[in-house]
Amino acid sequence: MMYVRYELWVAVALLADFTLASSDREQVLENNGSKESHADEDHGGVHLVQWNFDHVEVPLTITLAVLLVGVAKLGFHKVKWLSSRVPESALIIVVGTALGSISVSKGTIFISFDETTFFLYLLPPIILESAYSLYDRVFSNNLGTILLYAVVGSLLNFGLIGGSLYGVCAAGACGSFAPTIWQCLAFSALISAVDPVAVLAIFQEIHVNNKLYFLVFGESLLNDAVTVVLYNMMVAFMALDVIPASQVVLGVFSFFTISLGGLVIGIIIGMLSAFMTKFTRHVRVVEPLTILGMAYLSYIMAELFHWSGIIGIIGCGLVQCEYAFGNISRKSNITVKYFIKVLSMTSESIIFFSLGQTMWDNEMVWNSGFILLTLVFCFIFRCFSVTLLTNISNMNRIIKINMEEQFIMAYGGLRGAVAYALVIQLRTGNEELDRLFITCTLAVVFATVFIQGLTIKPFVNFFRIRKQETQKPTMCDEVNRRVIDFMMAGIEEVTGQKGGNYLRVKLEYYDEKYLKRWLQRNPETREAHMMALFEEIALKDHREHIYDIAKAPLEIEGACLIKRVCTLERAISVDCGELELEPKRYEAYRPIKGNFSTDDLRKLWRNNPSISMHLPYDKNLTQDDDQDLAVQLRQRKNLYMEVKKRHSSMSRQSAIDEVPDEEEDEGGIVMKFEPTIKEESEVDGPSETMALMMPTDDSLGQSEGPDVFESKI
């Protein structure tokens, strides 16, 4: 009883100590105006438990927000009828809005949206992950059309939307608001551009074909230079009473410096990262750090000179896909791929989550006429520019863009967080007008994400837009495409009308002759890689042929003439000693049904069966590809158990009878073997099969290996 009382007194004392610590944590120190809630001087001693929320408020808030979004995404994808109709970005905005209402009622803000945080920390992972996906031939084939939409289309929308808004405001359609032409054009510069974050979130869910996806998504990425130039020009013109012609000329030239400057920085840093990974064979652990760190460096360096960081990181990502990924190990490649996808998903979730909270901003200014006209102008002029530029592009395109695809391109021109991040830093000198621009931008963003995002998938199904192909191209398709490339390049050379095919072949020639030799550890031409794949196919066909021969005696009725009995692994091995040195998985030699896809062949080529065993542990992952000890030991154990099981089964079920003397052959003693086939359960490969090899000049007693059993003759 005394012991229980003592424990109760200790609990009461600890609770009182915790209460005192919580009540005293708001004391303020007059040291540079800062507040230290966790200082021991404020509490008069040491405490076992202390409430220290101010110290961990920011990381705890971000962590809880990300986990909450993750739980919402899990539940969203579990409900199939909801996830098949509602875009994921709309769900995250709803979650942010709901949580924002709770935080506003408590007088706090859960996560605040800041333009610096958005452009320097949240946007780069999304663009880098998108840049890796642009490493596709469909994107390069449609690059001219994409640039036409990104540059000319952005200029058209900028001029038409800005001019129309200024006209209707001057006519009095928006009430007392009368912005200047430069203020309308500055707002038009940020609201007319298609947003890459919103397009990526929507178009990846509807799974349209690659051509349509790259046309819209590529435009949203590459129009960044035009948007930045126009926005900065209009902001500068607002501060000038008289605009000299020199400023207009400088604004035109700034487009080339912003776009080409960012691209050059990205290409240089991408090549530097490839050169660095050329020497990372003995320190594999730094490969993902080098790839991701150099990519982010290209974005920061471009922003340092006030150039386009988006174009810079796109150029760096494409160069890394071409050169750096050929130097790193397979596991480093997987690490980069999954890490950047997780980081991109997290950044995208935080962006839409923060946008949902902005709904509760009490300082918004609402003007129904201005907001409604902005929505109408954005949609109408988007349709006009897409139709006009598509007709121009179809003049030189072999595969035309039809009317249904044009409608999806126009309807998929979504606006998102980039426009909001630009408008919150816009200062026109009229605070009420600034608030109206922010309110109008949020209205456009929510309208495009919810209305167009919810209805674009039914439109895709209604117009029967071709979806993305799930089947990978076969090796026959790859070979035919390569032959057509060379043939078309030769035709262009003979006729003297050099076009894209001739340029592509020339670029590949100089790339394989110079750049890959400088930037890659073991450069390999595409032709050599293809020959290596065909060699592996031939070897696999040879093994399967031996596999079929080894099974053939089991289907022969009556007596069979044999000299040795061995397992399936012995039959498919060229050298009998390879069984102990090179553990082989049975699945690697099973016949593959259907056509070979390119991914199957590349995976087959990478999976080299010559694996070293029991390598020492190395923290720098020196021999990363040969260091899967757990997998190798498990394969070794399964191999041993399979061989042991087959031998015991053969010794029980096989019968070897004596053959009359007149049936002797000069090749040696002939035995009569009548096998009994019995299905066994699979251990780590196919069901039991006894492989039989024909007699040789060696005697039975000279056969070596654990697969030979003794018999009475």
Side-chain angles (χ1 to χ4, degrees):
M1 180 65 67
M2 294 295 295
Y3 180 76
V4 174
R5 287 182 180 178
Y6 175 75
E7 291 294 332
L8 289 175
W9 277 111
V10 171
V12 171
L14 289 177
L15 181 59
D17 185 37
F18 172 74
T19 305
L20 289 174
S22 300
S23 61
D24 293 340
R25 68 182 181 86
E26 298 296 334
Q27 294 182 358
V28 179
L29 294 177
E30 298 298 333
N31 184 12
N32 296 327
S34 62
K35 179 170 65 177
E36 297 182 0
S37 61
H38 58 281
D40 293 337
E41 292 80 6
D42 294 339
H43 309 294
V46 178
H47 305 282
L48 297 180
V49 180
Q50 179 178 346
W51 183 261
N52 200 11
F53 179 74
D54 294 336
H55 182 59
V56 298
E57 180 179 3
V58 175
L60 179 62
T61 302
I62 295 175
T63 303
L64 290 177
V66 172
L67 291 177
L68 180 62
V69 171
V71 173
K73 289 166 71 72
L74 285 175
F76 174 74
H77 288 285
K78 282 291 185 180
V79 184
K80 298 297 182 182
W81 64 268
L82 182 63
S83 59
S84 61
R85 294 174 175 84
V86 180
E88 188 177 284
S89 56
L91 168 73
I92 300 175
I93 291 178
V94 171
V95 173
T97 304
L99 193 60
S101 64
I102 299 175
S103 61
V104 168
S105 64
K106 299 294 183 180
T108 60
I109 299 177
F110 201 63
I111 293 181
S112 61
F113 195 97
D114 179 71
E115 64 272 14
T116 303
T117 304
F118 172 77
F119 282 110
L120 294 184
Y121 301 107
L122 297 179
L123 187 60
I126 301 175
I127 303 302
L128 180 59
E129 196 267 338
S130 305
Y132 291 153
S133 68
L134 291 180
Y135 187 70
D136 193 282
R137 179 165 179 169
V138 179
F139 172 74
S140 61
N141 289 342
N142 294 275
L143 184 59
T145 306
I146 293 172
L147 290 175
L148 184 65
Y149 290 134
V151 179
V152 182
S154 298
L155 291 174
L156 279 176
N157 284 276
F158 159 74
L160 293 174
I161 294 176
S164 300
L165 286 177
Y166 175 73
V168 295
C169 289
C174 300
S176 60
F177 288 98
T180 64
I181 181 62
W182 304 118
Q183 293 171 346
C184 289
L185 289 176
F187 175 71
S188 174
L190 60 92
I191 204 65
S192 61
V194 179
D195 185 78
V197 181
V199 170
L200 181 66
I202 299 297
F203 271 69
Q204 281 189 342
E205 297 182 22
I206 60 179
H207 302 293
V208 295
N209 60 81
N210 287 338
K211 181 191 71 174
L212 187 57
Y213 171 77
F214 282 120
L215 285 175
V216 181
F217 184 56
E219 175 196 355
S220 66
L221 288 174
L222 299 183
N223 65 9
D224 176 70
V226 181
T227 302
V228 172
V229 170
L230 295 176
Y231 179 80
N232 292 333
M233 285 179 61
M234 297 305 107
V235 171
F237 290 167
M238 282 192 302
L240 299 176
D241 296 331
V242 179
I243 302 174
S246 59
Q247 291 294 316
V248 179
V249 174
L250 288 176
V252 174
F253 279 101
S254 65
F255 165 74
F256 297 98
T257 58
I258 288 176
S259 57
L260 298 180
L263 182 62
V264 169
I265 287 180
I267 292 175
I268 292 175
I269 295 181
M271 289 184 174
L272 183 59
S273 64
F275 185 76
M276 291 176 62
T277 55
K278 188 177 179 180
F279 306 99
T280 57
R281 176 182 295 178
H282 301 292
V283 195
R284 294 288 193 186
V285 72
V286 304
E287 290 177 344
L289 178 63
T290 302
I291 296 294
L292 298 176
M294 296 297 283
Y296 184 66
L297 179 64
S298 66
Y299 185 89
I300 296 299
M301 291 299 295
E303 292 290 332
L304 177 64
F305 296 99
H306 211 277
W307 291 341
S308 175
I310 292 180
I311 295 181
I313 201 171
I314 289 174
C316 181
L318 293 176
V319 172
Q320 286 180 346
C321 289
E322 178 68 18
Y323 303 108
F325 283 178
N327 293 330
I328 64 178
S329 65
R330 179 173 55 89
K331 290 187 176 179
S332 296
N333 196 336
I334 295 175
T335 301
V336 172
K337 174 183 176 182
Y338 280 92
F339 182 79
I340 196 62
K341 282 185 176 295
V342 171
L343 202 60
S344 173
M345 182 272 297
T346 305
S347 300
E348 181 182 313
S349 300
I350 292 176
I351 289 171
F352 286 112
F353 189 86
S354 302
L355 282 176
Q357 289 192 107
T358 57
M359 286 288 294
W360 303 100
D361 190 354
N362 296 325
E363 298 182 357
M364 293 184 181
V365 176
W366 184 268
N367 187 297
S368 302
F370 186 83
I371 294 174
L372 182 61
L373 288 173
T374 301
L375 286 169
V376 172
F377 290 154
C378 286
F379 181 74
I380 292 177
F381 293 131
R382 170 71 181 174
C383 295
F384 171 75
S385 63
V386 168
T387 304
L388 176 63
L389 297 178
T390 302
N391 292 331
I392 297 175
S393 177
N394 282 340
M395 297 178 182
N396 298 320
R397 290 180 62 93
I398 298 177
I399 302 177
K400 310 297 183 181
I401 302 174
N402 55 39
M403 293 298 298
E404 291 80 7
E405 292 176 336
Q406 293 180 39
F407 175 78
I408 297 300
M409 290 176 60
Y411 199 73
L414 308 177
R415 276 70 173 179
V418 173
Y420 181 74
L422 290 175
V423 77
I424 59 178
Q425 59 183 346
L426 178 63
R427 297 294 179 266
T428 62
N430 186 344
E431 185 177 355
E432 189 176 6
L433 184 61
D434 294 341
R435 292 295 176 184
L436 175 61
F437 285 162
I438 294 176
T439 306
C440 184
T441 302
L442 284 175
V444 173
V445 170
F446 290 154
T448 55
V449 171
F450 282 94
I451 299 177
Q452 295 177 221
L454 284 169
T455 56
I456 190 172
K457 190 171 184 178
F459 277 124
V460 169
N461 296 329
F462 176 77
F463 290 120
R464 298 181 180 179
I465 302 296
R466 185 169 56 89
K467 296 296 187 65
Q468 184 178 4
E469 297 180 0
T470 57
Q471 185 177 2
K472 300 294 184 180
T474 62
M475 199 63 194
C476 181
D477 296 334
E478 294 284 341
V479 173
N480 289 337
R481 182 180 300 174
R482 192 67 178 164
V483 171
I484 291 174
D485 288 342
F486 280 108
M487 182 178 65
M488 294 301 297
I491 293 175
E492 292 177 0
E493 177 73 19
V494 172
T495 58
Q497 297 180 355
K498 299 177 182 178
N501 295 283
Y502 176 81
L503 180 61
R504 180 187 296 113
V505 172
K506 278 297 182 182
L507 290 177
E508 290 179 356
Y509 170 76
Y510 289 110
D511 179 42
E512 294 168 355
K513 186 176 181 180
Y514 299 106
L515 293 179
K516 284 190 175 181
R517 293 185 180 181
W518 297 338
L519 302 176
Q520 288 188 333
R521 185 186 306 115
N522 297 315
E524 183 182 30
T525 63
R526 289 177 172 83
E527 285 72 21
H529 183 68
M530 192 172 295
M531 291 299 297
L533 292 176
F534 275 117
E535 181 181 353
E536 184 65 22
I537 294 173
L539 291 175
K540 184 172 179 60
D541 290 340
H542 175 65
R543 292 169 184 145
E544 293 176 356
H545 180 64
I546 298 177
Y547 172 79
D548 293 336
I549 293 178
K551 292 197 305 181
L554 297 177
E555 301 174 358
I556 299 178
E557 298 180 358
C560 299
L561 303 179
I562 66 168
K563 188 65 176 290
R564 298 176 55 185
V565 179
C566 63
T567 61
L568 173 61
E569 288 72 29
R570 183 75 68 184
I572 62 178
S573 299
V574 178
D575 184 5
C576 295
E578 290 181 358
L579 183 61
E580 291 77 22
L581 298 178
E582 299 178 355
K584 306 181 189 312
R585 298 184 64 180
Y586 303 139
E587 295 93 316
Y589 303 103
R590 296 173 67 180
I592 297 180
K593 298 180 180 180
N595 296 327
F596 281 101
S597 68
T598 306
D599 291 343
D600 293 333
L601 296 177
R602 289 172 182 165
K603 182 178 179 181
L604 181 64
W605 180 248
R606 287 196 305 264
N607 293 336
N608 187 359
S610 301
I611 303 174
S612 302
M613 292 292 293
H614 303 289
L615 294 177
Y617 172 75
D618 183 8
K619 66 177 182 179
N620 290 325
L621 305 179
T622 303
Q623 296 175 338
D624 178 72
D625 294 333
D626 302 330
Q627 217 167 359
D628 294 333
L629 297 182
V631 177
Q632 296 177 20
L633 291 174
R634 184 165 61 250
Q635 294 176 1
R636 183 90 175 201
K637 178 182 177 181
N638 292 336
L639 177 65
Y640 172 75
M641 296 298 296
E642 182 72 10
V643 171
K644 183 178 179 180
K645 191 173 183 179
R646 293 183 182 188
H647 292 169
S648 61
S649 177
M650 286 189 295
S651 62
R652 292 193 309 267
Q653 301 173 13
S654 301
I656 301 179
D657 300 333
E658 183 178 357
V659 182
D661 296 336
E662 62 270 16
E663 295 185 7
E664 287 190 4
D665 188 70
E666 61 183 89
I669 301 176
V670 180
M671 296 173 292
K672 183 178 180 181
F673 179 63
E674 297 179 356
T676 302
I677 304 176
K678 181 181 179 182
E679 295 293 334
E680 299 286 347
S681 61
E682 295 185 1
V683 178
D684 190 21
S687 60
E688 178 184 3
T689 305
M690 293 179 293
L692 310 176
M693 298 186 67
M694 301 305 295
T696 61
D697 294 335
D698 301 332
S699 62
L700 182 63
Q702 294 175 343
S703 299
E704 299 178 358
D707 55 325
V708 179
F709 61 90
E710 296 181 357
S711 60
K712 296 181 180 180
I713 301 179

